[in-house]
Amino acid sequence: MDADAPCCTKSLFGDREVCQPRFQVGDVAVCEACATFAVPEGLGEPVVTTPLKPFACGIATLAASGLCADVFHATAPDGCAPIDGEAALQKAIDQQRAAPAPNAPKVARVLQRCRATRAAHEDAALLNDVRGLLPLDLLRARARARSEPVPDGDDKAAAFAAATARHYGSASPEPSDALLRELANYFKGPQFFTWVKAPPCPRCGGKTEGAGPGTPTEEEQRKLANRVELYRCPCGGEARFPRYNCARTLLFESRTGRCGEFANAFVPCLRACGFEARYVWDSTDHVWAEAWSVEQKRWLHVDPCEKAVDRPRMYERGWGKKLACILAFGRDEVVDVTRRYTRDVGACLARRDESHGWHAAPESCVASAVAAADALARSL
C-alpha cells in the first residue's frame, strides 16, 4: 500500500477480531484500508451494520490467491502503534452509536433533486438535438488521430491535422477513452461553454460585483432557475445570473455557468456521444460527471470545469477538500461513490454532518435512503 495510506488492521492486530467497517470480496471480509488500496476497484462491496461488528481482515487469504499479492504488506509501518489504531476504531464506533436521530427527509430531498436532474438528461429529443450541436465527426477524428504515432522529426501539429482530416467522417462512432478526452477538452472554452464568476456589465462590458440574491422572473422559472444572483457595475449597470437547472437552456441559450451548470450540460453531451454517464454530487459543494469506459470496464471521473479525466483524487490531494459524501446518479442507479475519491473513507464518514454539507444521520439511514433511491431508479 502507499506509504501514507491507512494500514491494514491485520498488520496492527494480527488475527484478533476488531470492530471495523467491513467490505466483502466474495466470501472474504477485508478492512477498509485494504478495500480502498489493495483490492481492485469494484470488487470490495461495503457491508453496512450498526454498530460495527468485529472480524479479522482476510486480506492474507486474497494475497495468497495472488489477487492482492503485489500491494499487501503484513507489517505495520514505523511509528504506527497498535493502540493508536484501536483508539481510532473505538472513536469511529462511538461516533456511530452517538449519532443523532435520522435526518431522513433532508437526505431524501437531496437524492430526489439530483435524481430528477439526471433523469432529464435522458430526454430523447434533447439528446438528438445535442448530437446536432456537437461537432461529433471532428471529435471522433481527433480521437483517432491522437492514437497514431508521429515519426521523429516530423511536424506534430501538421501530422495531427493531416490525420484528423483523413479520419473525418470515417472514424468509429463507438465511445472511446480518447473520444472522452477530446469531448472534455472541447467542452470548456470560448467555442462552447464558458466559466463565469461574475457576469459582465450589460451596459459597458466592465466588471461587476455581487449585489445579493434576486427573484427569478416567470421566464427564468420556466427554465428551472429557482434562484438568481444580482451584480452591479460602477457605471450603474445591473446584471442578472439565473442559476438555470435546465440542460436545454444551458446548452442552447446561456452556454455559461459554474460547476452545477457545467455538469448539468456535460452529462447530456456524454450521452449524445454514446457514453453511459453519471451525474456526481459532492456534499462539499461541487458537481461533476462519470463516464463508463468500455476499454477499461470501469467508471472514469470527468470534471468538465477542469478538463480533467480520470483524476478522482484531485479534490482531496490537489484542492485539499475535506470530503464527506459523494453520490453518483446514473440512468437507472444511485450509488455512493465516496470511496473512489478519497484515501480515507473513515474520515469521510466521520464528517457526514451539517458542517460538511451533509445531513447528520447514522450510516444506516444514509445507506437506506440511497438503496431506496437506487431501487426506484431501476424500477422506472
Side-chain angles (χ1 to χ4, degrees):
M1 295 189 290
D2 295 349
D4 59 345
C7 58
C8 170
T9 56
K10 184 177 178 63
S11 69
L12 298 174
F13 307 118
D15 293 328
R16 181 156 61 91
E17 294 188 345
V18 294
C19 290
Q20 57 184 316
R22 184 188 191 99
F23 291 80
Q24 203 73 24
V25 183
D27 296 330
V28 180
V30 298
C31 69
E32 184 176 89
C34 290
T36 304
F37 299 104
V39 176
E41 183 176 359
L43 291 185
E45 293 293 331
V47 179
V48 178
T49 58
T50 305
L52 298 175
K53 296 181 179 179
F55 72 96
C57 179
I59 191 65
T61 301
L62 296 180
S65 71
L67 181 62
C68 309
D70 57 332
V71 289
F72 172 69
H73 298 284
T75 58
D78 294 339
C80 189
I83 187 65
D84 294 334
E86 194 156 16
L89 287 170
Q90 187 59 51
K91 181 179 179 180
I93 295 168
D94 292 342
Q95 284 180 331
Q96 285 211 10
R97 288 175 174 168
N103 222 332
K106 291 183 179 180
V107 173
R109 281 197 292 272
V110 171
L111 295 170
Q112 183 179 16
R113 183 178 71 247
C114 293
R115 194 169 59 80
T117 297
R118 177 61 186 88
H121 300 154
E122 293 301 314
D123 180 73
L126 170 65
L127 296 183
N128 186 61
D129 290 343
V130 173
R131 292 185 191 99
L133 178 67
L134 294 173
L136 288 179
D137 284 338
L138 176 62
L139 296 177
R140 289 165 178 161
R142 285 177 176 174
R144 181 70 180 85
R146 291 193 194 281
S147 67
E148 297 184 355
V150 178
D152 293 340
D154 285 9
D155 186 319
K156 293 185 178 180
F160 174 70
T164 299
R166 186 168 63 254
H167 293 297
Y168 189 89
S170 62
S172 170
E174 295 300 315
S176 65
D177 292 356
L179 177 59
L180 179 63
R181 295 182 186 279
E182 288 298 326
L183 177 62
N185 189 59
Y186 171 82
F187 186 86
K188 181 183 180 181
Q191 77 274 32
F192 197 74
F193 212 91
T194 59
W195 176 271
V196 61
K197 184 176 181 180
C201 175
R203 177 184 294 179
C204 70
K207 293 183 178 181
T208 60
E209 294 186 357
T215 302
T217 64
E218 289 186 5
E219 177 66 15
E220 290 166 343
Q221 291 181 48
R222 278 196 293 270
K223 297 174 181 178
L224 304 184
N226 56 15
R227 60 192 177 96
V228 174
E229 297 174 8
L230 300 179
Y231 293 83
R232 291 196 179 96
C233 177
C235 78
E238 295 186 352
R240 297 172 65 84
F241 178 29
R243 303 306 302 272
Y244 293 122
N245 195 39
C246 174
R248 179 174 288 278
T249 298
L250 294 171
L251 284 166
F252 293 91
E253 296 183 31
S254 67
R255 293 277 193 91
T256 191
R258 302 190 192 121
C259 66
E261 289 84 1
F262 267 74
N264 200 349
F266 188 68
V267 172
C269 293
L270 287 172
R271 296 291 294 126
C273 289
F275 291 96
E276 285 296 331
R278 288 170 168 174
Y279 174 84
V280 183
W281 175 87
D282 165 26
S283 66
T284 58
D285 196 25
H286 195 40
V287 201
W288 58 89
E290 288 183 345
W292 177 256
S293 168
V294 176
E295 299 165 35
Q296 302 184 53
K297 293 181 172 55
R298 66 184 180 93
W299 289 99
L300 299 182
H301 151 265
V302 193
D303 191 329
C305 296
E306 304 296 323
K307 299 186 178 182
V309 178
D310 201 20
R311 293 173 54 198
R313 302 287 171 82
M314 62 180 282
Y315 309 113
E316 192 172 66
R317 285 182 174 178
W319 297 11
K321 296 191 79 173
K322 301 298 183 183
L323 301 173
C325 184
I326 301 174
L327 304 175
F329 298 80
R331 179 169 53 164
D332 55 4
E333 62 181 353
V334 179
V335 187
D336 186 335
V337 294
T338 307
R339 203 183 91 192
R340 193 193 320 279
Y341 295 90
T342 182
R343 298 179 64 83
D344 191 345
V345 179
C348 290
L349 296 178
R351 295 189 198 109
R352 290 189 174 182
D353 55 33
E354 304 287 349
S355 65
H356 290 90
W358 191 233
H359 306 293
E363 281 311 298
S364 57
C365 170
V366 176
S368 176
V370 171
D374 180 64
L376 179 60
R378 293 174 185 275
S379 69
L380 298 178

